[in-house]
Amino acid sequence: MTTDATKTTKETPLKKVKAESFDIARSDETLDLAKDLAKFIKDNKLTTNVQGKEFVNVEGWQYAGSRLGIVPIVEHVINVSSETEMKYQAKVTLYDLRHGVTVGAGFAVCSNKESGKKFYQEFAIMSMAQTRAIGKAYRNILAWIIRAAGYEPTPAEEMDYNTNAPQAVAPAAPAPVAAADPVVAAMQVVPADALAAGAPAAPAPVQYATAAHKEEIIRLLNHPVITRQEKTKMLLNINRLDEERAIQAIAKLGNAIDERENGGHKAAA
């Protein structure tokens, strides 16, 4: 005998429930994770383009790890500086919360001898060593999942040394910012040619900011009137500046510093 209850059961399709976490030991689940990861990285713009290839930022690697229940633990950060070099080494281990075991580790260093880091403060060098170690630890066990998601299996932070290389695609014009924040605006200057009507048929190779431009920007960022939050935000984007935007950023930073030293709040021109 067929009842109304049996009809409802037969006619109602089963709804697929989205997994809250995945198991790295099961290939079918990790492939589902790769699809979820690809969408998350794209939606949140967590990649850096280097010579036409997309490298995932450490936040993307951390997301992949969190979906597997794997978290990073900073074991140590060691000052290995010399009289002529500021240098830190970091070690990070990966802990599997589900099984209660350590499943990987990564080591990394950061030095002010690296290109573009000559005027970095000590906390920034130490912080970058930790960030790189986190990315390296995840890369050692999750590189194939990142590749399955369609991205290069190397953390973007390991590619810092190569961000001045010409890229095939010009970066998109940044979104405008409020005039009340001249320091952030300095990093988001829209080149005049980007405002012209129509896009060029074949964009010319991007001329990235020189080491001298970056050093001057970092020197200005180290001024006492610049807050740590502003400095960090600008340093994250410094390797993406082209020459024109770098020159404008230097001018705007100088104006902002002059205004703040004199107690003013007027936006930089």
Side-chain angles (χ1 to χ4, degrees), residues 16-54:
K16 186 177 181 181
V17 179
K18 183 179 179 181
E20 292 300 324
S21 63
F22 298 88
D23 186 349
I24 195 171
R26 299 186 56 176
S27 59
D28 56 334
E29 289 193 10
T30 47
L31 288 175
D32 285 339
L33 170 59
K35 297 176 184 176
D36 177 72
L37 183 59
K39 183 178 185 305
F40 180 83
I41 291 173
K42 182 179 180 181
D43 290 348
N44 292 278
K45 299 179 174 61
L46 295 179
T47 61
T48 298
N49 186 292
V50 180
Q51 292 185 317
K53 297 180 179 180
E54 296 295 331

PDB file of all heavy atoms in Angstrom, residues 16-54:
ATOM      1  N   LYS A  16      22.280  17.464  -1.693  1.00  0.00           N
ATOM      2  CA  LYS A  16      23.681  17.214  -1.376  1.00  0.00           C
ATOM      3  C   LYS A  16      24.144  18.209  -0.316  1.00  0.00           C
ATOM      4  O   LYS A  16      24.040  19.420  -0.500  1.00  0.00           O
ATOM      5  CB  LYS A  16      24.555  17.343  -2.633  1.00  0.00           C
ATOM      6  CG  LYS A  16      26.005  16.950  -2.390  1.00  0.00           C
ATOM      7  CD  LYS A  16      26.803  17.018  -3.671  1.00  0.00           C
ATOM      8  CE  LYS A  16      28.237  16.608  -3.436  1.00  0.00           C
ATOM      9  NZ  LYS A  16      29.056  16.674  -4.660  1.00  0.00           N
ATOM     10  N   VAL A  17      24.628  17.704   0.776  1.00  0.00           N
ATOM     11  CA  VAL A  17      25.086  18.565   1.862  1.00  0.00           C
ATOM     12  C   VAL A  17      26.548  18.915   1.646  1.00  0.00           C
ATOM     13  O   VAL A  17      27.383  18.037   1.401  1.00  0.00           O
ATOM     14  CB  VAL A  17      24.916  17.855   3.226  1.00  0.00           C
ATOM     15  CG1 VAL A  17      25.423  18.751   4.349  1.00  0.00           C
ATOM     16  CG2 VAL A  17      23.467  17.465   3.434  1.00  0.00           C
ATOM     17  N   LYS A  18      26.867  20.199   1.741  1.00  0.00           N
ATOM     18  CA  LYS A  18      28.244  20.642   1.565  1.00  0.00           C
ATOM     19  C   LYS A  18      29.091  20.196   2.747  1.00  0.00           C
ATOM     20  O   LYS A  18      28.723  20.372   3.899  1.00  0.00           O
ATOM     21  CB  LYS A  18      28.296  22.170   1.449  1.00  0.00           C
ATOM     22  CG  LYS A  18      29.698  22.708   1.195  1.00  0.00           C
ATOM     23  CD  LYS A  18      29.681  24.207   1.068  1.00  0.00           C
ATOM     24  CE  LYS A  18      31.081  24.742   0.852  1.00  0.00           C
ATOM     25  NZ  LYS A  18      31.100  26.208   0.745  1.00  0.00           N
ATOM     26  N   ALA A  19      30.242  19.612   2.451  1.00  0.00           N
ATOM     27  CA  ALA A  19      31.114  19.123   3.517  1.00  0.00           C
ATOM     28  C   ALA A  19      31.701  20.283   4.296  1.00  0.00           C
ATOM     29  O   ALA A  19      32.132  21.276   3.722  1.00  0.00           O
ATOM     30  CB  ALA A  19      32.237  18.279   2.921  1.00  0.00           C
ATOM     31  N   GLU A  20      31.695  20.137   5.618  1.00  0.00           N
ATOM     32  CA  GLU A  20      32.291  21.159   6.464  1.00  0.00           C
ATOM     33  C   GLU A  20      33.802  21.014   6.522  1.00  0.00           C
ATOM     34  O   GLU A  20      34.524  21.959   6.775  1.00  0.00           O
ATOM     35  CB  GLU A  20      31.695  21.070   7.880  1.00  0.00           C
ATOM     36  CG  GLU A  20      30.234  21.468   7.952  1.00  0.00           C
ATOM     37  CD  GLU A  20      29.990  22.904   7.509  1.00  0.00           C
ATOM     38  OE1 GLU A  20      30.841  23.771   7.793  1.00  0.00           O
ATOM     39  OE2 GLU A  20      28.979  23.151   6.853  1.00  0.00           O
ATOM     40  N   SER A  21      34.281  19.783   6.328  1.00  0.00           N
ATOM     41  CA  SER A  21      35.716  19.530   6.324  1.00  0.00           C
ATOM     42  C   SER A  21      36.000  18.356   5.406  1.00  0.00           C
ATOM     43  O   SER A  21      35.104  17.611   5.016  1.00  0.00           O
ATOM     44  CB  SER A  21      36.226  19.245   7.737  1.00  0.00           C
ATOM     45  OG  SER A  21      35.627  18.072   8.252  1.00  0.00           O
ATOM     46  N   PHE A  22      37.277  18.194   5.057  1.00  0.00           N
ATOM     47  CA  PHE A  22      37.678  17.147   4.134  1.00  0.00           C
ATOM     48  C   PHE A  22      38.753  16.282   4.773  1.00  0.00           C
ATOM     49  O   PHE A  22      39.417  16.673   5.728  1.00  0.00           O
ATOM     50  CB  PHE A  22      38.205  17.760   2.825  1.00  0.00           C
ATOM     51  CG  PHE A  22      37.180  18.569   2.079  1.00  0.00           C
ATOM     52  CD1 PHE A  22      37.012  19.922   2.359  1.00  0.00           C
ATOM     53  CD2 PHE A  22      36.388  17.985   1.106  1.00  0.00           C
ATOM     54  CE1 PHE A  22      36.068  20.678   1.671  1.00  0.00           C
ATOM     55  CE2 PHE A  22      35.441  18.734   0.414  1.00  0.00           C
ATOM     56  CZ  PHE A  22      35.278  20.073   0.705  1.00  0.00           C
ATOM     57  N   ASP A  23      38.954  15.099   4.194  1.00  0.00           N
ATOM     58  CA  ASP A  23      39.977  14.171   4.676  1.00  0.00           C
ATOM     59  C   ASP A  23      41.047  14.040   3.605  1.00  0.00           C
ATOM     60  O   ASP A  23      40.772  13.604   2.483  1.00  0.00           O
ATOM     61  CB  ASP A  23      39.333  12.806   4.974  1.00  0.00           C
ATOM     62  CG  ASP A  23      40.311  11.836   5.630  1.00  0.00           C
ATOM     63  OD1 ASP A  23      41.519  12.148   5.666  1.00  0.00           O
ATOM     64  OD2 ASP A  23      39.861  10.781   6.096  1.00  0.00           O
ATOM     65  N   ILE A  24      42.286  14.416   3.945  1.00  0.00           N
ATOM     66  CA  ILE A  24      43.371  14.392   2.962  1.00  0.00           C
ATOM     67  C   ILE A  24      43.688  12.976   2.493  1.00  0.00           C
ATOM     68  O   ILE A  24      44.281  12.769   1.433  1.00  0.00           O
ATOM     69  CB  ILE A  24      44.643  15.052   3.555  1.00  0.00           C
ATOM     70  CG1 ILE A  24      45.647  15.374   2.450  1.00  0.00           C
ATOM     71  CG2 ILE A  24      45.270  14.191   4.635  1.00  0.00           C
ATOM     72  CD1 ILE A  24      46.819  16.200   2.909  1.00  0.00           C
ATOM     73  N   ALA A  25      43.289  11.959   3.269  1.00  0.00           N
ATOM     74  CA  ALA A  25      43.564  10.571   2.890  1.00  0.00           C
ATOM     75  C   ALA A  25      42.594  10.057   1.834  1.00  0.00           C
ATOM     76  O   ALA A  25      42.807   8.994   1.258  1.00  0.00           O
ATOM     77  CB  ALA A  25      43.510   9.664   4.127  1.00  0.00           C
ATOM     78  N   ARG A  26      41.509  10.799   1.559  1.00  0.00           N
ATOM     79  CA  ARG A  26      40.517  10.359   0.579  1.00  0.00           C
ATOM     80  C   ARG A  26      40.590  11.249  -0.656  1.00  0.00           C
ATOM     81  O   ARG A  26      40.294  12.440  -0.612  1.00  0.00           O
ATOM     82  CB  ARG A  26      39.126  10.411   1.191  1.00  0.00           C
ATOM     83  CG  ARG A  26      38.964   9.494   2.403  1.00  0.00           C
ATOM     84  CD  ARG A  26      37.530   9.470   2.899  1.00  0.00           C
ATOM     85  NE  ARG A  26      36.605   9.081   1.819  1.00  0.00           N
ATOM     86  CZ  ARG A  26      35.294   8.914   2.013  1.00  0.00           C
ATOM     87  NH1 ARG A  26      34.776   9.111   3.209  1.00  0.00           N
ATOM     88  NH2 ARG A  26      34.516   8.569   1.003  1.00  0.00           N
ATOM     89  N   SER A  27      40.995  10.654  -1.770  1.00  0.00           N
ATOM     90  CA  SER A  27      41.215  11.436  -2.987  1.00  0.00           C
ATOM     91  C   SER A  27      39.935  12.086  -3.502  1.00  0.00           C
ATOM     92  O   SER A  27      39.975  13.196  -4.041  1.00  0.00           O
ATOM     93  CB  SER A  27      41.815  10.547  -4.083  1.00  0.00           C
ATOM     94  OG  SER A  27      40.942   9.465  -4.377  1.00  0.00           O
ATOM     95  N   ASP A  28      38.779  11.414  -3.333  1.00  0.00           N
ATOM     96  CA  ASP A  28      37.542  12.005  -3.834  1.00  0.00           C
ATOM     97  C   ASP A  28      37.210  13.281  -3.059  1.00  0.00           C
ATOM     98  O   ASP A  28      36.748  14.264  -3.636  1.00  0.00           O
ATOM     99  CB  ASP A  28      36.389  11.005  -3.725  1.00  0.00           C
ATOM    100  CG  ASP A  28      36.197  10.490  -2.294  1.00  0.00           C
ATOM    101  OD1 ASP A  28      37.181  10.485  -1.537  1.00  0.00           O
ATOM    102  OD2 ASP A  28      35.063  10.108  -1.959  1.00  0.00           O
ATOM    103  N   GLU A  29      37.481  13.288  -1.758  1.00  0.00           N
ATOM    104  CA  GLU A  29      37.193  14.472  -0.955  1.00  0.00           C
ATOM    105  C   GLU A  29      38.164  15.607  -1.259  1.00  0.00           C
ATOM    106  O   GLU A  29      37.779  16.772  -1.291  1.00  0.00           O
ATOM    107  CB  GLU A  29      37.247  14.133   0.544  1.00  0.00           C
ATOM    108  CG  GLU A  29      36.087  13.270   1.007  1.00  0.00           C
ATOM    109  CD  GLU A  29      35.979  13.205   2.526  1.00  0.00           C
ATOM    110  OE1 GLU A  29      36.696  13.985   3.202  1.00  0.00           O
ATOM    111  OE2 GLU A  29      35.183  12.392   3.025  1.00  0.00           O
ATOM    112  N   THR A  30      39.441  15.281  -1.482  1.00  0.00           N
ATOM    113  CA  THR A  30      40.413  16.336  -1.760  1.00  0.00           C
ATOM    114  C   THR A  30      40.169  16.961  -3.132  1.00  0.00           C
ATOM    115  O   THR A  30      40.461  18.142  -3.335  1.00  0.00           O
ATOM    116  CB  THR A  30      41.851  15.792  -1.665  1.00  0.00           C
ATOM    117  OG1 THR A  30      41.950  14.563  -2.378  1.00  0.00           O
ATOM    118  CG2 THR A  30      42.240  15.568  -0.223  1.00  0.00           C
ATOM    119  N   LEU A  31      39.636  16.205  -4.072  1.00  0.00           N
ATOM    120  CA  LEU A  31      39.296  16.783  -5.370  1.00  0.00           C
ATOM    121  C   LEU A  31      38.109  17.737  -5.228  1.00  0.00           C
ATOM    122  O   LEU A  31      38.043  18.769  -5.895  1.00  0.00           O
ATOM    123  CB  LEU A  31      38.986  15.679  -6.385  1.00  0.00           C
ATOM    124  CG  LEU A  31      40.210  14.877  -6.861  1.00  0.00           C
ATOM    125  CD1 LEU A  31      39.790  13.735  -7.767  1.00  0.00           C
ATOM    126  CD2 LEU A  31      41.198  15.794  -7.583  1.00  0.00           C
ATOM    127  N   ASP A  32      37.175  17.381  -4.337  1.00  0.00           N
ATOM    128  CA  ASP A  32      36.083  18.318  -4.037  1.00  0.00           C
ATOM    129  C   ASP A  32      36.647  19.573  -3.385  1.00  0.00           C
ATOM    130  O   ASP A  32      36.194  20.687  -3.644  1.00  0.00           O
ATOM    131  CB  ASP A  32      35.065  17.656  -3.096  1.00  0.00           C
ATOM    132  CG  ASP A  32      34.196  16.631  -3.812  1.00  0.00           C
ATOM    133  OD1 ASP A  32      34.101  16.716  -5.057  1.00  0.00           O
ATOM    134  OD2 ASP A  32      33.627  15.757  -3.143  1.00  0.00           O
ATOM    135  N   LEU A  33      37.645  19.388  -2.524  1.00  0.00           N
ATOM    136  CA  LEU A  33      38.291  20.537  -1.882  1.00  0.00           C
ATOM    137  C   LEU A  33      38.956  21.433  -2.924  1.00  0.00           C
ATOM    138  O   LEU A  33      38.899  22.658  -2.822  1.00  0.00           O
ATOM    139  CB  LEU A  33      39.337  20.055  -0.869  1.00  0.00           C
ATOM    140  CG  LEU A  33      40.258  21.146  -0.285  1.00  0.00           C
ATOM    141  CD1 LEU A  33      39.448  22.216   0.429  1.00  0.00           C
ATOM    142  CD2 LEU A  33      41.283  20.522   0.671  1.00  0.00           C
ATOM    143  N   ALA A  34      39.573  20.826  -3.937  1.00  0.00           N
ATOM    144  CA  ALA A  34      40.240  21.610  -4.980  1.00  0.00           C
ATOM    145  C   ALA A  34      39.243  22.534  -5.681  1.00  0.00           C
ATOM    146  O   ALA A  34      39.550  23.697  -5.969  1.00  0.00           O
ATOM    147  CB  ALA A  34      40.916  20.684  -5.995  1.00  0.00           C
ATOM    148  N   LYS A  35      38.035  22.027  -5.949  1.00  0.00           N
ATOM    149  CA  LYS A  35      37.001  22.857  -6.585  1.00  0.00           C
ATOM    150  C   LYS A  35      36.568  24.000  -5.659  1.00  0.00           C
ATOM    151  O   LYS A  35      36.426  25.142  -6.082  1.00  0.00           O
ATOM    152  CB  LYS A  35      35.793  21.994  -6.956  1.00  0.00           C
ATOM    153  CG  LYS A  35      36.088  20.917  -7.977  1.00  0.00           C
ATOM    154  CD  LYS A  35      34.864  20.038  -8.214  1.00  0.00           C
ATOM    155  CE  LYS A  35      35.173  18.890  -9.161  1.00  0.00           C
ATOM    156  NZ  LYS A  35      34.022  17.978  -9.336  1.00  0.00           N
ATOM    157  N   ASP A  36      36.364  23.663  -4.381  1.00  0.00           N
ATOM    158  CA  ASP A  36      35.972  24.671  -3.400  1.00  0.00           C
ATOM    159  C   ASP A  36      37.076  25.713  -3.242  1.00  0.00           C
ATOM    160  O   ASP A  36      36.819  26.910  -3.149  1.00  0.00           O
ATOM    161  CB  ASP A  36      35.702  23.981  -2.054  1.00  0.00           C
ATOM    162  CG  ASP A  36      35.367  24.970  -0.950  1.00  0.00           C
ATOM    163  OD1 ASP A  36      34.265  25.533  -0.984  1.00  0.00           O
ATOM    164  OD2 ASP A  36      36.210  25.176  -0.064  1.00  0.00           O
ATOM    165  N   LEU A  37      38.323  25.245  -3.240  1.00  0.00           N
ATOM    166  CA  LEU A  37      39.480  26.120  -3.083  1.00  0.00           C
ATOM    167  C   LEU A  37      39.623  27.077  -4.267  1.00  0.00           C
ATOM    168  O   LEU A  37      39.898  28.269  -4.095  1.00  0.00           O
ATOM    169  CB  LEU A  37      40.737  25.266  -2.945  1.00  0.00           C
ATOM    170  CG  LEU A  37      42.066  25.981  -2.703  1.00  0.00           C
ATOM    171  CD1 LEU A  37      42.003  26.798  -1.425  1.00  0.00           C
ATOM    172  CD2 LEU A  37      43.192  24.950  -2.618  1.00  0.00           C
ATOM    173  N   ALA A  38      39.429  26.560  -5.479  1.00  0.00           N
ATOM    174  CA  ALA A  38      39.535  27.394  -6.679  1.00  0.00           C
ATOM    175  C   ALA A  38      38.545  28.555  -6.625  1.00  0.00           C
ATOM    176  O   ALA A  38      38.880  29.691  -6.960  1.00  0.00           O
ATOM    177  CB  ALA A  38      39.302  26.552  -7.931  1.00  0.00           C
ATOM    178  N   LYS A  39      37.316  28.269  -6.190  1.00  0.00           N
ATOM    179  CA  LYS A  39      36.300  29.320  -6.091  1.00  0.00           C
ATOM    180  C   LYS A  39      36.649  30.332  -5.014  1.00  0.00           C
ATOM    181  O   LYS A  39      36.540  31.543  -5.216  1.00  0.00           O
ATOM    182  CB  LYS A  39      34.939  28.686  -5.788  1.00  0.00           C
ATOM    183  CG  LYS A  39      33.791  29.700  -5.728  1.00  0.00           C
ATOM    184  CD  LYS A  39      32.459  29.007  -5.483  1.00  0.00           C
ATOM    185  CE  LYS A  39      31.289  29.996  -5.545  1.00  0.00           C
ATOM    186  NZ  LYS A  39      31.428  31.133  -4.634  1.00  0.00           N
ATOM    187  N   PHE A  40      37.107  29.837  -3.852  1.00  0.00           N
ATOM    188  CA  PHE A  40      37.447  30.737  -2.739  1.00  0.00           C
ATOM    189  C   PHE A  40      38.588  31.676  -3.119  1.00  0.00           C
ATOM    190  O   PHE A  40      38.540  32.875  -2.853  1.00  0.00           O
ATOM    191  CB  PHE A  40      37.842  29.902  -1.517  1.00  0.00           C
ATOM    192  CG  PHE A  40      38.215  30.727  -0.312  1.00  0.00           C
ATOM    193  CD1 PHE A  40      37.233  31.227   0.534  1.00  0.00           C
ATOM    194  CD2 PHE A  40      39.541  31.013  -0.033  1.00  0.00           C
ATOM    195  CE1 PHE A  40      37.572  31.992   1.639  1.00  0.00           C
ATOM    196  CE2 PHE A  40      39.889  31.773   1.068  1.00  0.00           C
ATOM    197  CZ  PHE A  40      38.905  32.265   1.907  1.00  0.00           C
ATOM    198  N   ILE A  41      39.632  31.140  -3.759  1.00  0.00           N
ATOM    199  CA  ILE A  41      40.791  31.951  -4.155  1.00  0.00           C
ATOM    200  C   ILE A  41      40.383  32.998  -5.181  1.00  0.00           C
ATOM    201  O   ILE A  41      40.777  34.164  -5.091  1.00  0.00           O
ATOM    202  CB  ILE A  41      41.903  31.042  -4.709  1.00  0.00           C
ATOM    203  CG1 ILE A  41      42.490  30.192  -3.572  1.00  0.00           C
ATOM    204  CG2 ILE A  41      43.000  31.861  -5.379  1.00  0.00           C
ATOM    205  CD1 ILE A  41      43.469  29.143  -4.042  1.00  0.00           C
ATOM    206  N   LYS A  42      39.579  32.592  -6.153  1.00  0.00           N
ATOM    207  CA  LYS A  42      39.139  33.526  -7.185  1.00  0.00           C
ATOM    208  C   LYS A  42      38.242  34.611  -6.613  1.00  0.00           C
ATOM    209  O   LYS A  42      38.437  35.808  -6.901  1.00  0.00           O
ATOM    210  CB  LYS A  42      38.399  32.769  -8.287  1.00  0.00           C
ATOM    211  CG  LYS A  42      37.936  33.659  -9.433  1.00  0.00           C
ATOM    212  CD  LYS A  42      37.230  32.855 -10.519  1.00  0.00           C
ATOM    213  CE  LYS A  42      36.764  33.760 -11.653  1.00  0.00           C
ATOM    214  NZ  LYS A  42      36.058  32.984 -12.707  1.00  0.00           N
ATOM    215  N   ASP A  43      37.270  34.227  -5.787  1.00  0.00           N
ATOM    216  CA  ASP A  43      36.322  35.191  -5.223  1.00  0.00           C
ATOM    217  C   ASP A  43      37.019  36.216  -4.330  1.00  0.00           C
ATOM    218  O   ASP A  43      36.603  37.373  -4.253  1.00  0.00           O
ATOM    219  CB  ASP A  43      35.237  34.469  -4.414  1.00  0.00           C
ATOM    220  CG  ASP A  43      34.297  33.671  -5.292  1.00  0.00           C
ATOM    221  OD1 ASP A  43      34.337  33.864  -6.522  1.00  0.00           O
ATOM    222  OD2 ASP A  43      33.526  32.851  -4.757  1.00  0.00           O
ATOM    223  N   ASN A  44      38.081  35.795  -3.639  1.00  0.00           N
ATOM    224  CA  ASN A  44      38.767  36.684  -2.693  1.00  0.00           C
ATOM    225  C   ASN A  44      40.071  37.268  -3.231  1.00  0.00           C
ATOM    226  O   ASN A  44      40.806  37.926  -2.501  1.00  0.00           O
ATOM    227  CB  ASN A  44      39.029  35.939  -1.383  1.00  0.00           C
ATOM    228  CG  ASN A  44      37.755  35.623  -0.641  1.00  0.00           C
ATOM    229  OD1 ASN A  44      37.205  36.462   0.060  1.00  0.00           O
ATOM    230  ND2 ASN A  44      37.255  34.392  -0.797  1.00  0.00           N
ATOM    231  N   LYS A  45      40.345  36.989  -4.522  1.00  0.00           N
ATOM    232  CA  LYS A  45      41.527  37.552  -5.192  1.00  0.00           C
ATOM    233  C   LYS A  45      42.812  37.277  -4.396  1.00  0.00           C
ATOM    234  O   LYS A  45      43.597  38.183  -4.090  1.00  0.00           O
ATOM    235  CB  LYS A  45      41.353  39.067  -5.417  1.00  0.00           C
ATOM    236  CG  LYS A  45      40.162  39.404  -6.294  1.00  0.00           C
ATOM    237  CD  LYS A  45      40.013  40.912  -6.477  1.00  0.00           C
ATOM    238  CE  LYS A  45      38.910  41.256  -7.461  1.00  0.00           C
ATOM    239  NZ  LYS A  45      37.594  40.780  -7.026  1.00  0.00           N
ATOM    240  N   LEU A  46      43.056  36.011  -4.094  1.00  0.00           N
ATOM    241  CA  LEU A  46      44.190  35.625  -3.260  1.00  0.00           C
ATOM    242  C   LEU A  46      45.359  35.101  -4.087  1.00  0.00           C
ATOM    243  O   LEU A  46      46.021  34.131  -3.713  1.00  0.00           O
ATOM    244  CB  LEU A  46      43.747  34.561  -2.251  1.00  0.00           C
ATOM    245  CG  LEU A  46      42.716  35.006  -1.220  1.00  0.00           C
ATOM    246  CD1 LEU A  46      42.353  33.856  -0.289  1.00  0.00           C
ATOM    247  CD2 LEU A  46      43.247  36.186  -0.409  1.00  0.00           C
ATOM    248  N   THR A  47      45.625  35.729  -5.236  1.00  0.00           N
ATOM    249  CA  THR A  47      46.759  35.310  -6.046  1.00  0.00           C
ATOM    250  C   THR A  47      47.611  36.512  -6.439  1.00  0.00           C
ATOM    251  O   THR A  47      47.163  37.652  -6.400  1.00  0.00           O
ATOM    252  CB  THR A  47      46.305  34.598  -7.338  1.00  0.00           C
ATOM    253  OG1 THR A  47      45.506  35.512  -8.126  1.00  0.00           O
ATOM    254  CG2 THR A  47      45.504  33.355  -7.035  1.00  0.00           C
ATOM    255  N   THR A  48      48.850  36.221  -6.804  1.00  0.00           N
ATOM    256  CA  THR A  48      49.771  37.223  -7.333  1.00  0.00           C
ATOM    257  C   THR A  48      50.224  36.738  -8.706  1.00  0.00           C
ATOM    258  O   THR A  48      50.629  35.577  -8.851  1.00  0.00           O
ATOM    259  CB  THR A  48      50.982  37.402  -6.409  1.00  0.00           C
ATOM    260  OG1 THR A  48      50.531  37.867  -5.137  1.00  0.00           O
ATOM    261  CG2 THR A  48      51.954  38.431  -6.987  1.00  0.00           C
ATOM    262  N   ASN A  49      50.156  37.609  -9.705  1.00  0.00           N
ATOM    263  CA  ASN A  49      50.544  37.240 -11.062  1.00  0.00           C
ATOM    264  C   ASN A  49      52.037  37.506 -11.257  1.00  0.00           C
ATOM    265  O   ASN A  49      52.506  38.627 -11.075  1.00  0.00           O
ATOM    266  CB  ASN A  49      49.726  38.038 -12.085  1.00  0.00           C
ATOM    267  CG  ASN A  49      49.984  37.574 -13.504  1.00  0.00           C
ATOM    268  OD1 ASN A  49      51.074  37.750 -14.034  1.00  0.00           O
ATOM    269  ND2 ASN A  49      48.976  37.004 -14.133  1.00  0.00           N
ATOM    270  N   VAL A  50      52.782  36.464 -11.597  1.00  0.00           N
ATOM    271  CA  VAL A  50      54.208  36.586 -11.874  1.00  0.00           C
ATOM    272  C   VAL A  50      54.479  35.982 -13.243  1.00  0.00           C
ATOM    273  O   VAL A  50      54.291  34.783 -13.439  1.00  0.00           O
ATOM    274  CB  VAL A  50      55.062  35.878 -10.797  1.00  0.00           C
ATOM    275  CG1 VAL A  50      56.551  36.032 -11.114  1.00  0.00           C
ATOM    276  CG2 VAL A  50      54.761  36.445  -9.420  1.00  0.00           C
ATOM    277  N   GLN A  51      54.870  36.838 -14.187  1.00  0.00           N
ATOM    278  CA  GLN A  51      55.159  36.405 -15.559  1.00  0.00           C
ATOM    279  C   GLN A  51      54.008  35.593 -16.150  1.00  0.00           C
ATOM    280  O   GLN A  51      54.208  34.564 -16.791  1.00  0.00           O
ATOM    281  CB  GLN A  51      56.461  35.594 -15.597  1.00  0.00           C
ATOM    282  CG  GLN A  51      57.696  36.440 -15.283  1.00  0.00           C
ATOM    283  CD  GLN A  51      58.981  35.685 -15.444  1.00  0.00           C
ATOM    284  OE1 GLN A  51      59.092  34.539 -15.036  1.00  0.00           O
ATOM    285  NE2 GLN A  51      59.984  36.314 -16.021  1.00  0.00           N
ATOM    286  N   GLY A  52      52.786  36.058 -15.930  1.00  0.00           N
ATOM    287  CA  GLY A  52      51.615  35.440 -16.530  1.00  0.00           C
ATOM    288  C   GLY A  52      51.089  34.222 -15.801  1.00  0.00           C
ATOM    289  O   GLY A  52      50.102  33.630 -16.234  1.00  0.00           O
ATOM    290  N   LYS A  53      51.713  33.831 -14.692  1.00  0.00           N
ATOM    291  CA  LYS A  53      51.263  32.672 -13.926  1.00  0.00           C
ATOM    292  C   LYS A  53      50.702  33.129 -12.589  1.00  0.00           C
ATOM    293  O   LYS A  53      51.176  34.123 -12.017  1.00  0.00           O
ATOM    294  CB  LYS A  53      52.404  31.681 -13.704  1.00  0.00           C
ATOM    295  CG  LYS A  53      52.949  31.078 -14.997  1.00  0.00           C
ATOM    296  CD  LYS A  53      54.068  30.098 -14.711  1.00  0.00           C
ATOM    297  CE  LYS A  53      54.599  29.470 -16.004  1.00  0.00           C
ATOM    298  NZ  LYS A  53      55.701  28.512 -15.731  1.00  0.00           N
ATOM    299  N   GLU A  54      49.691  32.410 -12.079  1.00  0.00           N
ATOM    300  CA  GLU A  54      49.031  32.787 -10.833  1.00  0.00           C
ATOM    301  C   GLU A  54      49.580  31.969  -9.658  1.00  0.00           C
ATOM    302  O   GLU A  54      49.522  30.743  -9.667  1.00  0.00           O
ATOM    303  CB  GLU A  54      47.517  32.572 -10.951  1.00  0.00           C
ATOM    304  CG  GLU A  54      46.841  33.454 -11.990  1.00  0.00           C
ATOM    305  CD  GLU A  54      46.903  34.928 -11.633  1.00  0.00           C
ATOM    306  OE1 GLU A  54      46.952  35.253 -10.423  1.00  0.00           O
ATOM    307  OE2 GLU A  54      46.902  35.757 -12.553  1.00  0.00           O
TER     308      GLU A  54
END
